[in-house]
Every structure is written in C-alpha cells, then in structure tokens.
Amino acid sequence: MTRNIIGDLSRQGWLDPFDSELARTLCAMVGGTDGAVELAIALTSRHVRLGHACMPLDPDAVLPSFPEQSERSELPAGAAWTEAVRHSALAVDGPLVVDPGGRLYLRRYFEFERDIARALAERSAVGRRERAPEGDAVEESLNRLLGKDPGPRRQAAENALEHRVSVLCGGPGTGKTTTVAAIAAFLVESHRRGGRFDPKVLLL
C-alpha cells in the first residue's frame, strides 16, 4: 500500500527519483522492511532536499503538502508509523534516527544538528561579551545605523553585541539582513575607533 503512495508521488514529480531510490536501497540493505519505513525514508529525503533537517512522523504534518490527487488516505497512523521506523533495523545504529519528538532524521543530519547545538552551547556558556568603553560613540553609531527607536532591530543588534552567541530570526521582510549589516558595520567602526584592524566577518 505504501509502495503505491511512493509510486504515485513519484509519477507526479512530487518525489524525486533520488528519494524513492534511496528508500528502496536502504531497505534492501537490511533484507527489506516495513513499507511504512520505506515511505518515511522517501519523504524524509524530500524534506532534506527542501532544506529541512528532518521530517515529523505525523500524517497531519505531512498531508497538507501532498498533491490533492495522491492517495492521501493511505498514510500510516502516526503512532504506528513512528514505532515501525523506531524498531526498524535501519534505526538501530544505522542510517536512520528517530528522536524523542518523533522526528525522523537521516543520521548525518542528526549528527550535524547535534554538533551545531553543542558548539552553540559551549560558546554561549562563556558568558556575556564586555563592551568596549567607548561612551557616547556606541549610542551614536547605533542611532545612525538603526535609528533611535528601541524596536526589534535595535534590540536584536544590542543583544548580538552583548552576547557571544545570538540568534536572529524572522519572516521575509522583517529586517534580518538590515540588522546583520548594521551589526557588521558597528563592529568595523568600533575596531577602527580603537585603532585595531577591521574584524573578519563571515556571512554564509
């Protein structure tokens, strides 16, 4: 039944050939497995291609993005789906990881996420950053770069300047790029006022 869903979604172009082939190959490595596991792998592969690190093993989370003409009613029930993948040979020191929240990862992305979380925790544990004693120059720079209004952008910039780790998020058009540019400009100005070399700023 689940194999029919994979074929259906592949014919519609919703699943890439790589998604279905990865699922088939991994399941073949352990001599075949529950069709629900194969479907979960194919869908997780698609999620990774779209920029996600994992996929929730929850039909309610997956169904809204399904093509209308697909066999949407044939998805496994959430709890049964999670248990099928969790007890698969592929998830026992294999290429799949099911986290406590019921999210399915390809192992490499689970390890990437874990390593990033560990690095952020280590950096944030160092404590707050000491601001250089520049007096009114700091306020003048922030006012010029972001305005005097104590809005979200100004708050985000001040937070980034006071902490060794800062996360800036928001939807399109909320000013993330403007804020990051202002922070980078402030750091350059601060170094120059102190007679230091310009800092290295890496944007990915």
Side-chain angles (χ1 to χ4, degrees), residues 1-11 39 71 74:
M1 184 181 296
T2 51
R3 187 176 296 276
N4 292 339
I5 301 178
I6 294 176
D8 184 27
L9 296 175
S10 297
R11 284 188 294 274
L39 175 62
E71 297 295 333
E74 294 186 3

Side-chain angles (χ1 to χ4, degrees), residues 2-199:
T2 51
R3 187 176 296 276
N4 292 339
I5 301 178
I6 294 176
D8 184 27
L9 296 175
S10 297
R11 284 188 294 274
Q12 296 175 50
W14 195 84
L15 283 178
D16 188 85
F18 177 81
D19 303 329
S20 53
E21 185 61 22
L22 175 65
R24 187 196 67 77
T25 300
L26 289 182
C27 290
M29 287 171 53
V30 293
T33 187
D34 190 324
V37 176
E38 186 172 344
L39 175 62
I41 296 171
L43 295 180
T44 300
S45 175
R46 179 181 188 273
H47 271 62
V48 170
R49 285 193 298 104
L50 296 178
H52 305 287
C54 60
M55 185 197 75
L57 290 168
D58 179 359
D60 291 337
V62 177
L63 278 175
S65 64
F66 260 40
E68 287 295 333
Q69 63 270 38
S70 64
E71 297 295 333
R72 300 158 66 98
S73 62
E74 294 186 3
L75 275 180
W81 202 8
T82 301
E83 289 306 301
V85 178
R86 194 188 305 278
H87 292 103
S88 164
L90 292 168
V92 181
D93 296 325
L96 305 182
V97 176
V98 181
D99 76 0
R103 291 175 288 264
L104 176 60
Y105 290 79
L106 300 177
R107 183 170 294 277
R108 66 182 299 186
Y109 295 100
F110 176 79
E111 293 176 349
F112 287 159
E113 189 171 281
R114 183 183 58 188
D115 291 345
I116 291 171
R118 182 185 299 119
L120 290 174
E122 290 173 352
R123 295 182 185 185
S124 62
V126 174
R128 298 172 72 92
R129 186 197 309 275
E130 292 295 329
R131 280 199 187 183
E134 298 172 315
D136 294 339
V138 173
E139 288 301 313
E140 187 277 329
S141 288
L142 290 175
N143 289 342
R144 177 167 40 79
L145 294 167
L146 290 167
K148 296 182 179 180
D149 180 26
R153 296 182 188 180
R154 177 69 177 257
Q155 293 173 6
E158 291 180 346
N159 183 68
L161 297 173
E162 292 177 356
H163 297 83
R164 296 183 183 277
V165 175
S166 181
V167 178
L168 177 62
C169 59
T174 55
K176 298 184 299 295
T177 302
T178 299
T179 304
V180 169
I183 293 169
F186 175 86
L187 292 173
V188 170
E189 291 181 1
S190 177
H191 276 66
R192 289 180 178 179
R193 281 195 298 269
R196 294 170 287 171
F197 291 111
D198 288 353

